[in-house]
């Protein structure tokens, strides 16, 4: 693929899946047998499994935007860092966190995705975890609830 083609596909995927909340995007941009990990504790080994996790996140958050700020492409692979911006539905609080992803795109569809998402910061921002929970964990102490 040419320069930035993978980034364009990835940005279209992120926008349609998260911002537009378009379930048809999964059929169009995600292979049925895709393997995606990093959204929860298990690898999602199909578009259907990915959709189940996607629905849980969409129940919690509105106005989701994934803003890719850096990317590197090689063959069918794109590695990217991005900001995730959203609003928590229940509290109305804005959330800003980070992600890193490595995605393989074949014939215009995501076939493999590996994600590292800073969920801890997001959950601190909406009050599900105490502020600075990571600091407590790094010191070998339990966060104070």
């Amino acid at each position: 693929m040419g320069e930035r083609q993978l980034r364009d596909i990835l940005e279209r995927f992120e926008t349609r899946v998260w911002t537009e909340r378009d379930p048809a995007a999964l059929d169009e941009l995600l292979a049925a047998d895709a393997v995606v990990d990093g959204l929860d504790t298990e690898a999602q080994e199909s578009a259907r499994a990915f959709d189940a996790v996607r629905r849980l996140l969409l129940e919690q958050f509105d106005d989701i935007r994934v803003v890719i700020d850096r990317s590197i492409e090689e063959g069918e692979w794109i590695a990217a860092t991005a900001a995730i911006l959203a609003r928590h539905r229940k509290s109305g609080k804005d959330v800003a966190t980070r992600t890193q992803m490595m995605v393989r795109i074949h014939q215009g569809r995501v076939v493999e995705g590996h994600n590292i998402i800073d969920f801890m910061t997001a959950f601190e921002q909406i009050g599900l975890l105490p502020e600075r929970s990571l600091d407590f964990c790094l010191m070998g102490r339990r966060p104070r609830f």
Side-chain angles (χ1 to χ4, degrees), residues 38-73:
L39 295 179
D40 69 356
T41 58
E42 304 282 326
Q44 308 305 312
E45 296 184 7
S46 68
R48 172 179 266 152
F50 173 83
D51 189 39
V53 175
R54 181 189 73 89
R55 288 173 189 258
L56 288 173
L57 289 168
L58 292 177
E59 286 177 19
Q60 295 291 316
F61 299 97
D62 280 324
D63 302 325
I64 302 170
R65 289 186 306 130
V66 178
V67 181
I68 297 172
D69 46 36
R70 289 180 200 88
S71 65
I72 299 170
E73 298 183 20

Side-chain angles (χ1 to χ4, degrees), residues 1-61:
M1 292 199 152
E3 186 177 328
R4 281 193 48 105
Q5 284 185 325
L6 296 179
R7 181 167 173 160
D8 291 343
I9 293 168
L10 183 58
E11 286 176 334
R12 186 169 51 246
F13 177 86
E14 299 294 344
T15 297
R16 293 214 26 226
V17 168
W18 301 111
T19 306
E20 296 173 2
R21 306 167 79 89
D22 180 3
L26 298 183
D27 293 333
E28 296 170 28
L29 298 170
L30 183 66
D33 60 348
V35 174
V36 179
D37 63 34
L39 295 179
D40 69 356
T41 58
E42 304 282 326
Q44 308 305 312
E45 296 184 7
S46 68
R48 172 179 266 152
F50 173 83
D51 189 39
V53 175
R54 181 189 73 89
R55 288 173 189 258
L56 288 173
L57 289 168
L58 292 177
E59 286 177 19
Q60 295 291 316
F61 299 97

Side-chain angles (χ1 to χ4, degrees), residues 78-97:
I78 179 169
T81 61
I84 301 174
L85 309 169
R87 183 177 310 112
H88 184 238
R89 286 179 145 196
K90 187 174 180 180
S91 68
K93 292 180 179 181
D94 289 331
V95 173
T97 193

